């Protein structure tokens, strides 16, 4: 068991992350202030945030990495790389869908999409933390499976986008461009179908 001081430190750190997630989701990155975050986290002083995080950008990155399931998977790539294609792709798809089921995380994503258009630096930071790393991990995994003879050879970057595309469409039609049948779709069936269709075209 970690010492009490370490426990208290981590508890407060998580408290700040939760407060920051709520503020980023409601105000976006640019408009969020340390005062807002401190109030949401129920800590006394905005300056206390700097005891746990270097700056707002560092806090933003930690919020994404610790509150988005897909990014938790990216932080432990070995959990994916050694698994057979069906299992690994199911894990990847599940992480995408489960992240989308977190409504606070989805609110943050919606705001980020708008901010990325108005403030390219925010979009660049988001890509480095999330989508860029995710596609790179999937590209490397698919490439390794192609080299092992388990998947047919093609551009792994294109293959990664072909796999992720249906999940992006699913999430957008659930949360942004809602279609009449969106809420009746079963997420587990979506994951299984996307994996099956992809593998039918890729397995040797």
């Amino acid at each position: 068991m970690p010492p009490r001081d370490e426990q208290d430190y981590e508890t407060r750190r998580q408290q700040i992350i939760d407060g920051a997630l709520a503020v980023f989701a409601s105000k976006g990155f640019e408009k969020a202030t340390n005062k807002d975050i401190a109030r949401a986290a129920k800590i006394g002083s905005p300056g206390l945030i700097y005891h746990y995080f270097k700056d707002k950008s560092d806090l933003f990155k930690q919020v994404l990495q610790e509150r988005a399931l897909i990014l938790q998977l990216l932080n432990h790539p070995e959990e994916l790389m050694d698994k057979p294609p069906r299992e690994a792709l199911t894990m990847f798809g599940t992480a995408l869908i489960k992240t989308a089921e977190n409504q606070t995380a989805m609110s943050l994503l919606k705001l980020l999409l708008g901010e990325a258009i108005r403030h390219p630096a925010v979009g660049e930071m988001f890509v480095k933390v999330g989508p860029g790393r995710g596609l790179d991990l999937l590209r490397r995994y698919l490439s390794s499976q192609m080299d092992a003879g388990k998947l047919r050879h093609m551009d792994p970057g294109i293959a990664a986008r072909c796999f992720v595309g249906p999940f992006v469409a699913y999430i957008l039609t659930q949360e942004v461009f809602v279609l009449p049948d969106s809420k009746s779709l079963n997420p587990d069936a979506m994951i299984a179908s996307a994996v099956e269709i992809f593998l039918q075209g890729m397995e040797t």
Side-chain angles (χ1 to χ4, degrees), residues 27-203:
K27 292 192 171 187
F29 177 79
E30 290 289 332
K31 293 183 179 179
T33 67
N34 282 350
K35 186 176 181 180
D36 295 328
I37 294 168
R39 186 183 302 115
K42 296 181 173 60
I43 60 174
S45 168
L48 190 60
I49 292 172
Y50 293 112
H51 182 63
Y52 299 87
F53 306 94
K54 291 185 294 186
D55 50 31
K56 189 168 75 167
S57 294
D58 180 43
L59 174 54
F60 175 74
K61 292 175 184 177
Q62 294 303 314
V63 166
L64 292 177
Q65 289 179 353
E66 297 195 25
R67 292 298 180 269
L69 182 59
I70 184 62
L71 296 186
Q72 293 175 23
L73 178 61
L74 300 186
N75 290 335
H76 302 283
E78 69 282 354
E79 295 181 9
L80 190 77
M81 297 300 289
D82 296 333
K83 296 186 182 301
R86 188 174 299 276
E87 184 177 352
L89 294 173
T90 298
M91 285 176 61
F92 201 94
T94 299
L96 284 169
I97 296 298
K98 294 300 182 184
T99 295
E101 289 176 352
N102 182 320
Q103 288 304 307
T104 305
M106 281 308 302
S107 295
L108 176 59
L109 176 60
K110 291 174 188 177
L111 275 170
L112 281 173
L113 291 176
E115 283 203 45
I117 295 172
R118 295 189 299 272
H119 306 286
V122 174
E124 183 179 346
M125 179 169 56
F126 178 52
V127 166
K128 287 181 179 178
V129 174
R133 290 174 60 218
L135 278 174
D136 182 64
L137 173 61
L138 186 55
R139 179 193 60 75
R140 288 188 288 112
Y141 173 78
L142 294 174
S143 180
S144 71
Q145 295 299 304
M146 292 174 193
D147 290 343
K150 296 180 180 179
L151 298 177
R152 71 181 183 87
H153 277 277
M154 67 172 295
D155 185 317
I158 292 176
R161 286 164 173 80
C162 288
F163 178 73
V164 170
F167 293 100
V168 173
Y170 173 85
I171 293 168
L172 286 176
T173 56
Q174 288 283 327
E175 300 293 338
V176 182
F177 308 109
V178 182
L179 298 179
D181 67 340
S182 294
K183 300 305 178 183
S184 66
L185 298 179
N186 182 288
D188 291 331
M190 174 65 207
I191 295 165
S193 297
V195 171
E196 182 64 30
I197 291 169
F198 181 80
L199 288 178
Q200 282 183 11
M202 289 295 297
E203 284 185 322

